[in-house]
Amino acid sequence: MLLARLAETSRAVADVPGRLAKLGLLAGLLREAGADELPVVVAYLSGELPQRRTGVGYAALRALPAPADVPSLTVLEVDAALERLAAVAGPGSAAERRAQVGALFGRATADEQGLLVALIGGELRQGAAAGLVTDAVARAADVPPAAVRTALTLSGSLPAVAAAALSAGQAGLARFRLEVGRPLAPMLASPGTDLDDALARTAPAAVDWKVDGIRVQVHRDGQDVRVFTRSLDEITPRVPELVAAALGLPATQVVLDGEAVALRPDGRPHPFQVTGARAASADAGVPLTPFFFDVLHVDGEDLLGEPLAVRADRLDRLVPEPLRVPRLVGPGPEQARAFAADALARGHEGVVVKALDAPYAAGRRGAGWLKVKPRHTLDLVVLAAEWGHGRRRGWLSNLHLGARDPQGGFVMLGKTFKGLTDELLRWQTARLLELAVDAEAPRSTAGQVDVRPELVVEVAFDGVQTSPRYPGGVALRFARVLRYREDKPAAQADTLEDVRAIRDRGAS
């Protein structure tokens, strides 16, 4: 398949407004792809590179050769070229990388160059997010979308799922199973408005402490233990205490979900930055304590489809109480409020209310889990920042906040400079300049700096109000920064639907 064909479809998907029309275009292209081309085509349509990183920065993409007049590049040739780029290292690597970029882009037409720049820069915005491409795979293979999503949850690889679906249909998808040692996307909690509402929406329910740590997924197979973060990155060498905890359990194979947090001697959590630093290095000196709240597999038995009531019982029998998150099962409103107040008094964020009859919806944020905090919070993406004035002159201060649009891209909800300490101002200025779209941005100290939408920030706010000022029709009231979430990728930020749901439930 020529890259020009993919670029043509990508442009058409960006131009057409309706979801069904986008699906038709994507499915048609997927059917055209050969078996060896399909994984690359799926990755590119999702705005991703199989190599993840190529070592090519924005500076290398600013002075490109003149585009070719006639398309000749194939998808597989581009994939091979990017593979070679990703392998460049050592003395002279910068010059070699520039030469390879020039050779690749010199064979690309103008449309193909635009596509390649967007892919390499992580900024392909044609409305074909992974969720839409997932449904396009289902349409192309004529299989139920739910079957594709389930296989994707278990495998973590949409290209692999697409290859199985288009080659073998539902039988191919049925071959995907939870594999101990291979992480799967975690189940996520949706924002809840208040405790009474969350209990009513999930009944019968359990209420867990919401611990302010790092999400961990622990896999044990015999004496082999692997620990993964919510972004599916492996951190096993950095967390020996979690490895030891898993090896101490009365099971040969187990997959656990939970949080790890650095605790003070009195049992209260350290600030999140301490936990984050400890998870980044085993030499940080502060031990991590696991708080496991779910079990997904035990000794050959997958538990994903079992209701929480069953999984909670297995967890209680498998994991000793000091390593489990405190949980209250089937409480009334008064009991739940007292339990939540105790969690807050001990320094934790709040509670998560969980439906006891809900299966583990890996990779999804649904109504089965509702997080309730004493304030409204959302995890949003920084889209831009403005240089400060007065005391904040020389620092990037006013943040432009965006919610994730499931159809692709991000939707701005407002701005804030509240909650920023001098330490945060210094840190975010350096970090945002690294993400600046314009390489000249560090030379200016005025105006606005647009950044690549990669940095997630947790924001507290008093409510959501309807607003014609922003394209999503909603805005946050009195937003303020709580912390940055470098442990969370932008793809897991809260969505525009989450924000509207808070407004519709009376949070404004």
Side-chain angles (χ1 to χ4, degrees):
M1 175 183 286
L2 289 175
L3 183 67
R5 178 73 181 96
L6 195 150
E8 175 189 16
T9 300
S10 178
R11 187 176 62 252
V13 169
D15 292 342
V16 72
R19 178 181 173 85
L20 290 178
K22 292 179 188 288
L23 280 174
L25 291 168
L26 294 169
L29 186 71
L30 295 177
R31 294 190 193 101
E32 292 179 27
D36 54 347
E37 298 167 331
L38 185 63
V40 181
V41 171
V42 169
Y44 287 3
L45 288 176
S46 302
E48 300 174 353
L49 295 175
Q51 297 79 14
R52 296 188 67 178
R53 296 183 181 181
T54 62
V56 179
Y58 276 87
L61 301 176
R62 290 174 63 84
L64 297 175
D69 295 325
V70 179
S72 63
L73 277 172
T74 68
V75 167
L76 292 180
E77 284 177 324
V78 172
D79 183 56
L82 294 179
E83 197 69 36
R84 290 192 296 272
L85 268 169
V88 173
S93 59
E96 174 62 21
R97 196 174 288 117
R98 282 195 299 270
Q100 291 193 24
V101 168
L104 174 62
F105 277 82
R107 290 187 57 197
T109 65
D111 281 350
E112 291 170 327
Q113 285 192 356
L115 176 67
L116 288 172
V117 167
L119 283 170
I120 293 172
E123 295 184 345
L124 186 63
R125 301 282 181 261
Q126 84 269 28
L132 188 63
V133 179
T134 300
D135 288 348
V137 168
R139 174 175 287 201
D142 195 24
V143 296
V148 177
R149 287 193 287 268
T150 298
L152 176 58
T153 291
L154 296 173
S155 72
S157 170
L158 184 54
V161 169
L166 271 82
S167 64
Q170 281 193 263
L173 296 175
R175 292 197 290 266
F176 290 99
R177 293 283 187 272
L178 187 154
E179 181 180 319
V180 178
R182 183 174 64 189
L184 65 158
M187 183 172 179
L188 304 173
S190 296
T193 51
D194 58 60
L195 192 53
D196 288 355
D197 177 68
L199 288 169
R201 293 170 59 197
T202 56
V207 183
D208 290 359
W209 281 7
K210 190 176 189 314
V211 179
D212 189 17
I214 61 163
R215 187 77 173 265
V216 291
Q217 192 177 115
V218 179
H219 291 239
R220 174 186 170 186
D221 188 359
Q223 295 301 300
D224 181 30
V225 176
R226 302 181 69 185
V227 182
F228 303 91
T229 66
R230 67 180 295 149
S231 57
L232 311 188
D233 295 316
E234 186 170 1
I235 58 169
T236 307
R238 308 178 210 160
V239 289
E241 56 269 73
L242 301 188
V243 172
L247 290 174
L249 300 177
T252 302
Q253 282 191 326
V254 65
V255 178
L256 296 164
D257 191 6
E259 297 269 339
V261 62
L263 297 177
R264 302 178 189 272
D266 63 0
R268 296 176 65 84
H270 280 286
F272 179 80
Q273 288 78 3
V274 175
T275 294
R278 173 59 187 80
S281 171
D283 298 327
V286 182
L288 291 175
T289 298
F291 284 87
F292 295 117
F293 51 70
D294 223 318
V295 57
L296 313 182
H297 180 97
V298 179
D299 289 336
E301 181 185 4
D302 287 349
L303 301 172
L304 289 170
E306 296 291 345
L308 175 60
V310 171
R311 304 196 312 274
D313 178 67
R314 296 296 295 273
L315 184 73
D316 288 350
R317 290 189 278 126
L318 178 70
V319 179
E321 186 175 5
L323 303 182
R324 300 195 312 263
V325 73
R327 170 173 287 160
L328 193 60
V329 177
E334 290 299 326
Q335 290 176 294
R337 280 193 282 271
F339 183 78
D342 182 55
L344 292 170
R346 294 173 185 265
H348 299 290
E349 286 190 300
V351 294
V352 182
V353 182
K354 301 179 177 179
L356 285 168
D357 57 0
Y360 190 93
R364 294 175 56 194
R365 187 191 303 276
W369 291 5
L370 298 174
K371 53 187 177 183
V372 180
K373 305 179 187 181
R375 57 196 170 193
H376 302 300
T377 66
L378 288 167
D379 292 326
L380 302 175
V381 175
V382 180
L383 306 180
E386 297 169 12
W387 288 105
H389 303 280
R391 193 180 68 81
R392 296 189 176 190
R393 186 173 182 81
W395 286 337
L396 286 173
S397 176
N398 206 17
L399 302 175
H400 296 207
L401 305 170
R404 183 165 53 88
D405 185 343
Q407 299 301 317
F410 300 89
V411 180
M412 187 172 173
L413 301 175
K415 308 177 185 180
T416 188
F417 55 84
K418 303 291 187 182
L420 294 170
T421 63
D422 288 355
E423 180 181 358
L424 268 181
L425 283 166
R426 283 190 290 269
W427 180 88
Q428 79 177 22
T429 299
R431 185 72 180 93
L432 291 174
L433 288 176
E434 293 175 355
L435 298 174
V437 173
D438 183 359
E440 299 297 317
R443 301 184 183 182
S444 172
T445 56
Q448 174 180 314
V449 175
D450 295 322
V451 300
R452 302 197 301 274
E454 298 177 10
L455 189 60
V456 177
V457 61
E458 185 177 8
V459 175
F461 56 98
D462 289 355
V464 178
Q465 61 190 13
T466 299
S467 171
R469 182 176 180 182
Y470 297 111
V474 290
L476 305 183
R477 297 178 62 242
F478 305 112
R480 56 222 180 256
V481 171
L482 295 178
R483 57 172 174 157
Y484 280 96
R485 296 295 307 268
E486 287 206 289
D487 63 315
K488 177 178 285 193
Q492 292 181 4
D494 288 307
T495 67
L496 182 60
E497 283 83 355
D498 292 329
V499 180
R500 288 171 173 165
I502 294 173
R503 176 200 59 188
D504 295 341
R505 291 197 299 266
S508 59

